[in-house]
Amino acid sequence: MRQPLSRELGNLLERGRDRQLRLAVTGLSQAGKTAFLTSLVNQLRHAGVEAQLDLLPAAREGRLLGAQRLNQPDLGVPRFPYDPGMAALRESPPRWPDPTRGISELRLQLRYRPARQGWFTPDIAHLTLDLFDYPGEWLLDLPLLQHNFYSWSQSQSLHEGPHRKALFKEWLTGIEHLDPADEADEAKLATLADAYAQGLRRAKQAGFSDLQPGRFLLPGELDGAPVLQFFPLPTLSIPQETLEALPDSSVYATLAARFRYYQQQVVRPFYREHFRRFDRQIVLVDILGALNAGPERFEDLSRALQQLMQSFDYGKRSLLTRLFAPKIDRLAIAATKADHVTPDQHGNVVQLLESLLAEPLKDLRFADIPVKALSLAAIRATEAREVLHEGKRTPALKGTTMEGEDVLVYPGDVPSRLPQAEFWQQQGFDFPSFRPMLSTSDALAHIRMDAAIDWLMGDKLA
Ligand SMILES: Nc1nc2c(ncn2[C@@H]2O[C@H](COP(=O)(O)OP(=O)(O)O)[C@@H](O)[C@H]2O)c(=O)[nH]1
Ligand SMILES: [Mg+2]
């Protein structure tokens, strides 16, 4: 049916005037979310003047006029700590922003001049940008929704490398003599749950990523609540029917009830109240950090990412589509901290990221979700140099280590495909952590933040 002319006109004017975009940043902890969002806000605020954003047409063409902070609409979500982050970076010596542990939000309003002027396009238009930062660990819980307590327990016995097992030793010893049919003893379950959470935290610290339940690592406001006091029973050899017939007061039934509560009251609400409303998403991956940490961690990161990416698989029959009908229509996947390698390696970083995510990328393309892989440094901490080595010009990096030592390093070659045993044996890759550079301009130095911004919102600034 045709719309009345006035409504059509209204829509046209509306389209030219105010637009809105909910953009979310995620990644496992330490991936670089806080740095990314701090830099993003900083670049947009300085877009007209100091910021180097040549890959973003609206900025290059001088049409992006500025960004203002507005009060956020979701009063229940903490505010993203932009000012404290910038203050840390401006200290002497500069510090990285403090880590954040839950979801946070910041609203910006961008003023821009639309590229094409026409009858109904105003001279100046606005884009309201709601930016979210949330832990990628929370996405590791999506697969948990398709399990019951029994099948989840079974699934948790997989992938138990020797190193990982050792980190869970106390908990594993503790459950050895736990009879699922026994009357549940609150105190004992709390102690065991604590040992399990401790194991997860240790594993996280040791560089493992494939860890469930995600909220045990980043509990936010749920710290200490009984809903977090459960753990899998991976070594059961009793048939499921027998276990499920046990009385409500048994160990098994108590753990199963808490598992269900966690699914319903913790995992689902995040997807329903936040995730479902995001329009665009960037997933950050510290792939260089994993290369630096060795084969067991690299494998583990790969498994964690396969799980995490399920939250973006919008195939018609995917769990996610059935449960929450999300609307993310564009996705970026970025290898962070690209300033840890010399510029000639950046191409390899992207190729490595693409091979690491080959399966999920294929699914996304099949589901027709536009996705782009890139490498970036949100806050550049090194400068690219060339040194003369045995008469040859060789690229190198100049930076200051966290301990305050000025160094000139060549971190090594990044493999362009998934590393094989040979690569690990040669120990071909090594770099220190760098301190942020003292900034001489109001805008933070970066690598390809403008490319990321263009992919994520450039079309809205056209
Ligand atoms: N060299 C470099 N290091 C970075 C960059 N972004 C993050 N880092 C490092 O990674 C750490 C974790 O980053 P952060 O943003 O807090 O990660 P989050 O846990 O995902 O929010 C920081 O403290 C820095 O040491 C970057 O662009 N370049
Ligand atoms: Mg953070």
Side-chain angles (χ1 to χ4, degrees), residues 345-363:
Q345 298 295 316
H346 289 178
N348 280 9
V349 175
V350 177
Q351 283 184 31
L352 180 63
L353 183 68
E354 285 182 332
S355 5
L356 187 68
L357 293 173
E359 280 302 313
L361 283 173
K362 211 169 70 197
D363 292 343

Side-chain angles (χ1 to χ4, degrees), residues 165-184:
K165 233 175 182 147
L167 302 167
F168 284 89
K169 191 162 162 259
E170 280 149 42
W171 171 72
L172 283 165
T173 326
I175 60 164
E176 240 168 57
H177 304 291
L178 187 68
D179 184 344
D182 272 356
E183 185 90 357

Side-chain angles (χ1 to χ4, degrees), residues 201-388:
R201 280 195 296 272
R202 266 192 221 132
K204 178 86 220 177
Q205 203 126 61
F208 289 97
S209 318
D210 181 15
L211 304 166
Q212 275 181 19
R215 247 8 118 90
F216 282 35
L217 291 162
L218 291 158
E221 74 282 12
L222 293 173
D223 209 1
V227 54
L228 299 192
Q229 288 172 354
F230 67 92
F231 43 85
L233 292 172
T235 49
L236 291 178
S237 49
I238 307 166
Q240 188 175 355
E241 301 76 41
T242 318
L243 289 165
E244 278 165 5
L246 290 169
D248 287 353
S249 59
S250 66
V251 164
Y252 185 86
T254 306
L255 294 176
R258 286 180 186 171
F259 175 79
R260 277 194 302 276
Y261 189 91
Y262 182 85
Q263 288 179 312
Q264 301 303 327
Q265 306 297 328
V266 179
V267 184
R268 276 172 182 264
F270 167 69
Y271 280 95
R272 202 170 49 223
E273 282 149 36
H274 299 294
F275 191 86
R276 199 165 62 88
R277 297 160 62 207
F278 299 150
D279 301 305
R280 305 255 160 110
Q281 172 79 55
I282 180 163
V283 180
L284 304 178
V285 182
D286 182 10
I287 199 169
L288 295 171
L291 265 190
N292 217 20
E296 200 177 341
R297 311 295 194 283
F298 195 85
E299 281 294 312
D300 192 75
L301 173 69
S302 160
R303 272 197 306 272
L305 288 173
Q306 312 293 330
Q307 299 237 16
L308 189 150
M309 293 301 291
Q310 286 186 24
S311 287
F312 306 104
D313 177 4
Y314 299 165
K316 281 209 182 55
R317 291 181 314 151
S318 80
L319 179 67
L320 193 76
T321 310
R322 279 184 284 127
L323 291 179
F324 307 106
K327 58 172 191 173
I328 291 170
D329 64 358
R330 190 177 277 205
L331 187 67
I333 299 174
T336 52
K337 315 182 195 178
D339 57 326
H340 276 143
V341 292
T342 49
D344 57 307
Q345 298 295 316
H346 289 178
N348 280 9
V349 175
V350 177
Q351 283 184 31
L352 180 63
L353 183 68
E354 285 182 332
S355 5
L356 187 68
L357 293 173
E359 280 302 313
L361 283 173
K362 211 169 70 197
D363 292 343
L364 284 164
R365 292 197 171 116
F366 187 76
D368 203 20
I369 312 278
V371 53
K372 187 186 178 91
L374 62 152
S375 72
L376 57 83
I379 301 175
R380 191 151 60 79
T382 66
E383 280 171 35
R385 289 291 157 89
E386 272 194 336
V387 292
L388 224 48

Side-chain angles (χ1 to χ4, degrees), residues 14-270:
E14 194 53 47
R15 226 183 312 145
R17 206 182 298 127
D18 285 355
R19 293 170 164 183
Q20 210 174 350
L21 191 69
R22 294 168 74 91
L23 167 64
V25 180
T26 198
L28 299 168
S29 63
Q30 292 292 311
K33 300 179 291 295
T34 303
F36 180 86
L37 212 43
T38 304
S39 178
L40 178 72
V41 174
N42 174 271
Q43 307 301 339
L44 291 173
R45 281 170 68 83
H46 297 286
V49 212
E50 293 97 328
Q52 297 280 318
L53 299 173
D54 291 345
L55 300 177
L56 178 67
R60 187 178 59 227
E61 293 156 12
R63 297 188 289 102
L64 186 52
L65 305 174
Q68 210 179 16
R69 264 185 288 174
L70 298 182
N71 286 333
Q72 70 193 49
D74 308 281
L75 298 180
V77 179
R79 194 181 165 90
F80 176 77
Y82 174 70
D83 292 322
M86 282 309 296
L89 291 164
R90 299 267 186 254
E91 272 175 31
S92 169
R95 272 193 312 114
W96 290 102
D98 289 328
T100 43
R101 303 182 56 83
I103 184 166
S104 58
E105 175 181 5
L106 190 139
R107 173 173 272 200
L108 282 183
Q109 190 181 52
L110 307 191
R111 270 164 65 80
Y112 67 99
R113 214 177 303 117
R116 255 175 289 149
Q117 295 292 331
W119 267 79
F120 298 120
T121 8
D123 293 343
I124 305 288
H126 296 104
L127 171 65
T128 305
L129 200 58
D130 282 309
L131 301 166
F132 295 85
D133 167 356
Y134 68 92
E137 280 78 2
W138 293 5
L139 299 180
L140 298 181
D141 280 344
L142 179 75
L144 193 138
L145 287 181
Q146 57 194 331
H147 283 292
N148 57 32
F149 181 62
Y150 183 85
S151 63
W152 179 65
S153 287
Q154 301 275 310
S155 74
Q156 294 305 295
S157 60
L158 300 169
H159 323 305
E160 293 255 345
H163 190 167
R164 202 173 141 137
K165 233 175 182 147
L167 302 167
F168 284 89
K169 191 162 162 259
E170 280 149 42
W171 171 72
L172 283 165
T173 326
I175 60 164
E176 240 168 57
H177 304 291
L178 187 68
D179 184 344
D182 272 356
E183 185 90 357
D185 171 350
E186 276 300 324
K188 193 169 162 193
L189 290 187
T191 311
L192 282 170
D194 217 45
Y196 186 67
Q198 180 94 39
L200 288 174
R201 280 195 296 272
R202 266 192 221 132
K204 178 86 220 177
Q205 203 126 61
F208 289 97
S209 318
D210 181 15
L211 304 166
Q212 275 181 19
R215 247 8 118 90
F216 282 35
L217 291 162
L218 291 158
E221 74 282 12
L222 293 173
D223 209 1
V227 54
L228 299 192
Q229 288 172 354
F230 67 92
F231 43 85
L233 292 172
T235 49
L236 291 178
S237 49
I238 307 166
Q240 188 175 355
E241 301 76 41
T242 318
L243 289 165
E244 278 165 5
L246 290 169
D248 287 353
S249 59
S250 66
V251 164
Y252 185 86
T254 306
L255 294 176
R258 286 180 186 171
F259 175 79
R260 277 194 302 276
Y261 189 91
Y262 182 85
Q263 288 179 312
Q264 301 303 327
Q265 306 297 328
V266 179
V267 184
R268 276 172 182 264
F270 167 69

